[in-house]
Amino acid sequence: LFRKKVDDLVKSIDEAQNKGSFLMKLLHLKSQMGEFNAIGDFSALLEKLEEAEEKINELIDKNRIKNLEAKTILIQEFEALMNNKSKIEKWKDFSLKFNESKDKWIKIGSVAKEHQDILTEKFILFNELYIEKKNAYYNDLTKTISERVKRYEQIIADAETILKKGTTTPEVIRQIKTLRFQWKKIGMIPKEKATELKNIFQDTISSVSHLLVYTQKYDKAEKPWDDICKEVEKLAGQSDKDAVAKLKEIQERWRNL
């Protein structure tokens, strides 16, 4: 019976991919050898177990060397990621890189005891640094969003002040257009808040919206008009036939604008 246990175990070890998983079972069976030392082939069975144990230990040592190499590479990746002093613009990308390396680390097996403590300490340190960076990023993001919201609200307040006079002079239209341009340059905030503020701003300037569209149409043609005015200024004071013909030609262009 004991001989069959030994033979079955050795066969399982030979056929298994993860041979190291049988080490504890092998050691347990080996510890029971004393109970069966009366059997004739005791020494042969013990030798068979010891050979299997040696092969497993050699394989474990090789795997631990490979694991050490893999974890050393990951430590370098963590260091490069955490030592980057530039501001994190896209947290999603940064987090993805860190968690990819972290997942690889978790899947790697153990290393030799003399390296285990140092590697574990470094891994824990990088996790702590990651949490610090995460908190710093979201604190900064919250602050940025708060500042942007205040700038949006200030533009709304400025528009209300400008339009309180009830006039629609060119200067008023110019100021509202400037505010609208500044609005577009502020930056993103959460969608719900952005929609709320946008609706308030549009309601605030609704009384002059039609004028903003009107002036925007002619702003695009502003330069050609300026050019024609400059041509007329050059001809001022001239009375020859060429000047008169030129003025007629300019007049026609003016009508076609």
Side-chain angles (χ1 to χ4, degrees):
L1 180 63
F2 189 80
R3 184 184 302 107
K4 186 175 185 308
K5 286 184 178 181
V6 172
D7 290 340
D8 289 346
L9 178 60
V10 172
K11 182 180 179 183
S12 296
I13 293 172
D14 290 338
E15 294 174 351
Q17 288 185 340
N18 184 14
K19 300 182 189 300
S21 62
F22 289 92
L23 180 60
M24 294 306 299
K25 190 173 182 179
L26 186 149
L27 293 175
H28 178 68
L29 191 60
K30 186 179 175 182
S31 67
Q32 294 179 323
M33 289 291 291
E35 301 174 15
F36 300 91
N37 57 11
I39 58 178
D41 54 355
F42 173 85
S43 298
L45 291 175
L46 179 60
E47 184 178 349
K48 200 170 187 179
L49 286 176
E50 288 179 340
E51 286 178 359
E53 181 183 356
E54 186 177 351
K55 287 180 181 179
I56 290 176
N57 285 329
E58 286 177 358
L59 186 60
I60 289 174
D61 289 340
K62 288 180 181 179
N63 286 337
R64 284 177 175 173
I65 292 172
K66 290 180 180 178
N67 294 341
L68 178 60
E69 292 173 352
K71 286 192 172 183
T72 300
I73 292 173
L74 287 176
I75 287 292
Q76 293 171 353
E77 290 181 9
F78 285 130
E79 287 176 342
L81 196 60
M82 293 302 170
N83 289 335
N84 188 350
K85 301 300 182 182
S86 60
K87 184 179 179 181
I88 300 173
E89 299 293 344
K90 295 182 179 179
W91 175 258
K92 186 177 180 180
D93 293 344
F94 180 86
S95 178
L96 181 63
K97 290 179 182 178
F98 178 83
N99 284 307
E100 282 179 349
S101 297
K102 184 176 178 180
D103 289 341
K104 290 178 185 177
W105 180 281
I106 293 171
K107 292 176 182 177
I108 296 172
S110 61
V111 299
K113 290 182 180 180
E114 61 265 27
H115 302 293
Q116 186 64 45
D117 289 345
I118 296 175
L119 289 174
T120 300
E121 287 176 9
K122 288 185 176 181
F123 181 66
I124 292 173
L125 174 62
F126 290 131
N127 273 279
E128 291 173 349
L129 288 174
Y130 172 80
I131 293 172
E132 287 179 11
K133 284 182 176 288
K134 181 179 180 180
N135 291 338
Y137 174 83
Y138 280 105
N139 287 339
D140 186 56
L141 181 61
T142 300
K143 181 181 177 182
T144 299
I145 290 174
S146 178
E147 291 173 350
R148 288 175 178 174
V149 169
K150 288 179 181 178
R151 288 167 65 189
Y152 280 124
E153 291 173 341
Q154 185 59 53
I155 287 177
I156 292 171
D158 291 344
E160 290 174 346
T161 300
I162 293 170
L163 295 172
K164 269 182 181 178
K165 299 175 184 177
T167 59
T168 53
T169 62
E171 177 59 20
V172 167
I173 299 304
R174 186 195 66 77
Q175 290 177 355
I176 296 299
K177 285 172 65 178
T178 299
L179 290 178
R180 199 164 63 169
F181 175 77
Q182 292 173 352
W183 181 281
K184 294 177 182 178
K185 302 286 285 184
I186 290 175
M188 294 180 65
I189 60 173
K191 185 177 180 180
E192 185 176 347
K193 189 64 177 179
T195 301
E196 175 192 342
L197 292 171
K198 183 180 179 181
N199 290 338
I200 294 173
F201 183 55
Q202 288 178 338
D203 288 343
T204 302
I205 65 173
S206 60
S207 62
V208 295
S209 293
H210 63 293
L211 295 175
L212 296 174
V213 175
Y214 179 82
T215 54
Q216 185 179 18
K217 177 182 176 182
Y218 286 96
D219 282 345
K220 295 178 180 179
E222 186 175 342
K223 193 173 186 307
W225 285 46
D226 287 345
D227 292 342
I228 289 176
C229 290
K230 289 177 182 178
E231 288 183 53
V232 173
E233 288 174 0
K234 289 179 181 178
L235 293 173
Q238 299 182 23
S239 58
D240 54 55
K241 292 181 180 180
D242 290 339
V244 173
K246 184 66 175 175
L247 280 171
K248 287 182 179 180
E249 186 267 332
I250 291 174
Q251 200 172 29
E252 186 63 26
R253 282 162 50 200
W254 182 279
R255 291 194 190 98
N256 292 330
L257 285 176

